[in-house]
Amino acid sequence: MDNLRTAGESGNELRRIVRINEEIKSVVATAFKINLMAMNAIFLAKRAGQSALGFGVLSNELRRFATDLQQQMSTLRETTYGSVSTVTSLLKQARTSRILNRTRKESDPAGRVIVDQLLRQRDLSTLARSKEQLAALNRRLSQMIADTTQLVELGSVLARSAKIEAAYGGGFSASLMQVSSDFERTIGDIQHSLEKLTKHHGDSRA
Amino acid sequence: MKTARVIFEDGAHKWLAIVRDSTRPEFIIDTNEYLVISDGDAILLDPGGAEIFPAVFSAISTSFDPRRINKIFSSHQDPDVISSLAMWLEFNPEIKCYLSWMWQGFIPHFGGGADTFVPIPDNGMDIVLGSQRMQAIPAHYLHSSGNLNFYDPKAKILFSGDVGAALLPPGDDNLFVENFDQHIRHAEAFHRRWMGSEKAKRDWCTRVSGLDIEMMCPQHGAIYRGADVRRFIDWFSRLDIGVLKS
């Protein structure tokens, strides 16, 4: 029964990690978009000259933010890859345990004793180790999602400040406003993806 | 539920046939496994797929401690032949698996590490079992490109893998072929389709004709014994193979 439960849990875990990975991909794509937008904003601020000095500083910060975000997401992807391989190994072990349980059921008393010995050894070693490994990966993933959320908060503050600075852009004000609104919307998209990511990650911990 | 039946015994030298799994789900092909024990040394021939492992294990454990199986012979690479390898290794991680060198890099996908496999060269080799010398006999392209039979000169038994296999109708549970002409009808379509090389077939017929065989044990269907072994070789040598069913 425990092994059946492990197989079911591992299957759910694998599906959950696939969903997380999909969300990470979408954040990575958006972060790449922000990087391009920040480069555009830097050029625009240069053209605006003295009247957009504050906006120029913020564009540089936004570009740094986009690079940090990309870096963070690539580490997150590596962590989920580690989770996929741990869950795959758990699934394999669960299948072995399922077959062993069937073997136990079908065997005569002598065979049952042999299978019981092996099942006891397995429960104490491999299965427990993999579960522990997965729990550690999950803890790391939680920490990374929290760090990313914090980073995106900073991006959101930068986008709002850029919007304020855009108002002082003189003749370039309208275009600067357009660029900073795009920033704000895109960071909003990232926040939405991160909320989904947090939800999918939280699903396994509920 | 499979049963283990003794088909040869002479002192400490014994062959067990693990056959007929009536509880097997219909979508899984029925297979025969053979355990050869000699002076306490034990080799399992084509241990079968992972899904039928419980049936094979439980049948063997009624007459032999399965943890003492220290060798496995895999005639070729198919999942119904060897996908249970990882399960056997759970009980004895020291098992050596003998197989064609061609599958050395493929079978580890089913289980086993670098030390598990003993590659057999194309021209075959001897496998020591207890005080006896068994022989891995080339049967390449029948049907796999790296295919081997297992011959026991003491028991005069040839384990022929898929050669001689018959897909028997439900209820036909005889351990041995009782009526060759009736039996061979269930083998014909299989051999026409699965055996792909006329030259390989002729080579095999010549090779096994030189062996002293009292029983020929296939991986599927009933065992040929006595004159039926010669009948099979003659029938096979005449059969048109490598063709689609018309």
Side-chain angles (χ1 to χ4, degrees), chain B residues 161-205:
Chain B
D162 274 332
V163 182
L167 306 174
L168 301 175
D172 193 342
D173 288 338
N174 289 329
L175 178 60
F176 295 103
V177 172
E178 301 297 345
N179 181 324
F180 183 83
D181 293 333
Q182 266 178 26
H183 176 85
I184 212 66
R185 283 187 224 146
H186 303 297
E188 189 173 328
F190 176 80
H191 284 78
R192 281 191 196 281
R193 179 66 200 256
W194 288 82
M195 307 296 160
S197 163
E198 187 60 36
K199 182 178 182 311
K201 184 193 78 173
R202 282 198 307 270
D203 286 351
W204 182 86
C205 290

Side-chain angles (χ1 to χ4, degrees), chain B residues 47-181:
Chain B
E51 285 304 317
I52 59 135
F53 172 82
V56 178
F57 180 95
S58 54
I60 290 176
S61 69
T62 57
S63 44
F64 187 77
D65 184 344
R67 291 172 299 187
R68 286 171 57 206
I69 296 171
N70 55 357
K71 295 182 180 77
I72 277 177
F73 174 82
S74 182
S75 65
H76 59 290
Q77 82 290 6
D78 280 349
D80 67 320
V81 168
I82 186 69
S83 69
S84 64
L85 176 63
M87 299 304 303
W88 292 103
L89 286 166
E90 288 279 340
F91 287 92
N92 181 3
E94 304 301 319
I95 284 178
K96 297 287 176 209
C97 177
Y98 292 79
L99 79 178
S100 159
W101 65 272
M102 284 187 66
W103 307 122
Q104 210 181 345
F106 292 77
I107 302 298
H109 285 285
F110 290 138
D115 296 336
T116 309
F117 300 97
V118 181
I120 302 176
D122 279 343
N123 56 351
M125 66 183 266
D126 284 357
I127 298 170
V128 175
L129 189 71
S131 56
Q132 304 295 320
R133 272 187 179 276
M134 307 288 123
Q135 295 166 17
I137 307 280
H140 307 303
Y141 299 104
L142 301 174
H143 69 94
S144 165
S145 44
N147 202 66
L148 293 146
N149 290 174
F150 179 95
Y151 178 62
D152 176 349
K154 181 174 171 68
K156 298 180 182 171
I157 298 178
L158 177 74
F159 167 64
S160 57
D162 274 332
V163 182
L167 306 174
L168 301 175
D172 193 342
D173 288 338
N174 289 329
L175 178 60
F176 295 103
V177 172
E178 301 297 345
N179 181 324
F180 183 83
D181 293 333

Side-chain angles (χ1 to χ4, degrees), chain A residues 11-74:
Chain A
N12 289 338
E13 191 72 10
L14 193 58
R15 279 188 287 277
R16 182 184 70 85
I17 285 166
V18 169
R19 282 200 299 269
I20 288 177
N21 213 32
E22 285 308 303
E23 284 308 326
I24 289 173
K25 268 159 66 184
S26 112
V27 177
V28 170
T30 321
F32 182 69
K33 212 160 95 185
I34 283 219
N35 198 13
L36 290 177
M37 284 166 71
M39 274 170 70
N40 256 339
I42 292 167
F43 288 130
L44 191 62
K46 277 195 176 152
R47 272 174 56 208
Q50 285 298 320
S51 53
L53 281 181
F55 187 89
V57 171
L58 285 166
S59 309
N60 279 317
E61 287 303 314
L62 275 165
R63 183 144 187 248
R64 192 168 303 134
F65 156 73
T67 315
D68 288 351
L69 186 62
Q70 269 180 315
Q71 179 64 45
Q72 182 79 0
M73 296 323 275
S74 116

Side-chain angles (χ1 to χ4, degrees), chain A residues 95-96 98-100 102-103 106-108 110-111 114-115 117-118 122, chain B residues 1 50-55 57-58 61-62 65-67 87 90-91:
Chain A
R95 184 179 185 233
T96 304
R98 180 178 58 79
I99 296 174
L100 284 174
R102 265 180 47 210
T103 309
E106 290 182 23
S107 293
D108 67 350
I114 298 171
V115 179
Q117 270 175 12
L118 185 71
R122 282 174 56 80
Chain B
M1 188 75 78
E51 285 304 317
I52 59 135
F53 172 82
F57 180 95
S58 54
S61 69
T62 57
D65 184 344
R67 291 172 299 187
M87 299 304 303
E90 288 279 340
F91 287 92

